[in-house]
Amino acid sequence: MPWNIKSSNQMRNEFIKLVSQPEISMAEACRSFNISRKTGYKWLRRYEKHGDSGLAEQSRRPVNQPTKLSEKALLRIISIRVAHKHWGADKIRAILKREHFSPLPGRTTIHRVLKQAGLINLRRKRTPKLDNLRLVQDRGANLQVNDEWTIDFKGWWRAKDGERKCYPLTIRDAKSRFILGVTLLPDSKEESVRQAMIKVFERYGLPKSIRSDNGSPFACTQALLGLSKLSAWWIRLGIEPNRGRVGCPQDNGAHERMHKDMKSELQAEKADTQTEMDEWVHEFNTIRPHQALKGDTPAQHYRRSPRAYTSSLVDYDYGNMSTRKIDKHGDLKWHSMDYFLSEALRGERIGLKSIGKRRYEAWFCEHLLGIIDEEAETFTPQLANGCRQRIIHARRKQKAYIKEL
């Protein structure tokens, strides 16, 4: 800026006095004040038209703003935010795009409108420590619809009466983010979860696999292959149990993110009826834009599974293997010996494959349970990933404790 900021008006007045002298040309006056002739003629025209007031600073705001938000767009942005107080600029922009608003405002513009309207509470962002970061690959990229479902319990909350507890069981499709069900259960026991899943299976069919954590009733890290009665039932239905690492909720991060929405929208309001759950699920699946789906809704991407559910379980074909049935105590009787396998497999048929020298592999459907050694009269179990990690963690902890001593 060629002018002295502290005395710009004074400099302009001096310039006008100088250029008004007949013996001083415009070029000489501009060189004296180190400005261009275009700037000099501009201030001279303003002085001739408006006098001393024309030398004051004027607004640089454009006369025409073709992309300025209309009053209709402003009201629509605010109305969406008021109706959905947890939706941000991205979701609101997706709704406006769906409603064919033109011109379509950017997310920064929408955020500024919400901020000026006092509808955003700015929060301080936490910076995670690099030592605690774990990079987990997005598993949904290589999946197809119904290849994998995710299941978990949203932490319970008190009902409006302050006494009853709500246990929401949540099931969703990993690829489409479609919520298959949010069911309020009286407890988190295996039978309650089974009945809720049967209703989902009857409506949407069967997936290829179900991803869960290592908690009850989905798994048991101390049991054979980490199996529970529920996950054993999944295997009989032809569904592969797929568990994350022990103590790593980020392995099912998209499901946990959905739980965060439930916490702010359902738990905060102490929703305690199945009707409230169903209304929220309908909005999530059919109305709410999803950022991972580029603003589409999960219902636009989900299709029912072609694998139909049947209540009667068909016996698994073990081919040439010998078969035995697990008794009510979880024991396998083989050649006058009892081998304890798992109580989760009570009543299930096990396949036994000879591998020589009086040694046999024990199979449950397509899962190797372990090896029976008749000479040593032992059963060596096949450890699941969760069990192995738990043992390794316990050994490391024990070594650290001994080292401190």
Side-chain angles (χ1 to χ4, degrees), residues 91-129:
K91 287 183 172 54
I92 294 176
R93 187 175 188 272
I95 293 293
L96 296 178
K97 183 178 180 180
R98 191 185 304 169
E99 296 176 355
H100 305 290
F101 264 83
S102 181
L104 182 66
R107 68 175 308 275
T108 305
T109 302
I110 297 175
H111 183 82
R112 183 172 63 250
V113 170
L114 298 177
K115 185 177 179 181
Q116 292 175 350
L119 297 175
I120 289 183
N121 296 323
L122 298 179
R123 295 180 297 176
R124 181 180 178 181
K125 292 185 178 181
R126 294 185 299 173
T127 303
K129 296 181 180 179

Side-chain angles (χ1 to χ4, degrees), residues 56-199:
E57 285 287 352
Q58 297 182 7
S59 173
R60 292 176 172 82
R61 184 176 182 179
V63 177
N64 296 320
Q65 293 180 274
T67 61
K68 182 181 178 181
L69 281 180
S70 63
E71 183 178 355
K72 180 181 178 181
L74 287 171
L75 293 176
R76 184 57 181 147
I77 291 172
I78 294 176
S79 65
I80 295 174
R81 176 67 178 190
V82 170
H84 308 279
K85 59 182 179 181
H86 299 285
W87 287 13
D90 290 321
K91 287 183 172 54
I92 294 176
R93 187 175 188 272
I95 293 293
L96 296 178
K97 183 178 180 180
R98 191 185 304 169
E99 296 176 355
H100 305 290
F101 264 83
S102 181
L104 182 66
R107 68 175 308 275
T108 305
T109 302
I110 297 175
H111 183 82
R112 183 172 63 250
V113 170
L114 298 177
K115 185 177 179 181
Q116 292 175 350
L119 297 175
I120 289 183
N121 296 323
L122 298 179
R123 295 180 297 176
R124 181 180 178 181
K125 292 185 178 181
R126 294 185 299 173
T127 303
K129 296 181 180 179
L130 295 179
D131 296 340
N132 296 333
L133 288 179
R134 294 183 180 181
L135 299 178
V136 179
Q137 184 179 4
D138 183 11
R139 304 182 68 258
N142 299 322
L143 295 174
Q144 299 300 322
V145 174
N146 294 311
D147 277 358
E148 182 176 270
W149 291 0
T150 58
I151 187 171
D152 200 0
F153 269 103
K154 170 69 184 73
W156 64 269
W157 65 76
R158 294 284 183 185
K160 294 183 177 70
D161 57 15
E163 297 181 0
R164 184 165 53 91
K165 291 183 179 180
C166 299
Y167 292 90
L169 175 70
T170 56
I171 308 173
R172 59 186 286 278
D173 178 63
K175 177 64 176 180
S176 65
R177 276 73 173 179
F178 185 86
I179 297 180
L180 302 158
V182 175
T183 309
L184 279 182
L185 299 180
D187 51 54
S188 57
K189 296 180 180 179
E190 183 267 339
E191 186 57 31
S192 299
V193 176
R194 184 193 292 255
Q195 295 303 320
M197 295 197 71
I198 288 176
K199 293 181 180 179

Side-chain angles (χ1 to χ4, degrees), residues 83-84 87 265 278-288:
H84 308 279
W87 287 13
E265 298 176 17
D278 294 341
E279 289 176 352
W280 184 83
V281 169
H282 176 75
E283 179 184 284
F284 189 98
N285 287 337
T286 62
I287 300 176
R288 178 194 188 115

Side-chain angles (χ1 to χ4, degrees), residues 219-232 325-332 339-348 350 362 364 369 379 381-382 387:
C220 178
T221 55
Q222 296 179 349
L224 183 62
L225 285 185
L227 291 175
S228 64
K229 291 180 63 178
L230 187 68
S231 55
K325 193 173 184 179
I326 305 298
D327 65 16
K328 62 180 181 180
H329 302 293
D331 293 337
L332 169 67
Y339 301 93
F340 176 76
L341 271 63
S342 173
E343 293 183 359
L345 298 175
R346 287 179 296 185
E348 300 291 351
I350 302 300
F364 175 54
L369 300 177
F379 172 74
Q382 179 78 7
C387 302

Side-chain angles (χ1 to χ4, degrees), residues 256-322:
E256 298 294 340
R257 178 60 181 85
M258 183 262 291
H259 280 178
K260 182 180 178 182
D261 294 330
M262 290 182 62
K263 181 178 180 180
S264 59
E265 298 176 17
L266 290 176
Q267 183 175 352
E269 302 295 332
K270 294 185 178 181
D272 56 3
T273 64
Q274 188 60 47
T275 301
E276 292 175 295
M277 301 296 146
D278 294 341
E279 289 176 352
W280 184 83
V281 169
H282 176 75
E283 179 184 284
F284 189 98
N285 287 337
T286 62
I287 300 176
R288 178 194 188 115
H290 204 294
Q291 190 172 356
L293 302 176
K294 299 181 179 180
D296 292 343
T297 61
Q300 293 177 260
H301 293 257
Y302 182 74
R303 297 295 181 271
R304 190 183 187 279
S305 173
R307 300 178 60 199
Y309 167 76
T310 56
S311 58
S312 58
L313 297 177
V314 180
D315 288 338
Y316 184 81
D317 183 11
Y318 287 101
N320 296 327
M321 296 186 193
S322 300

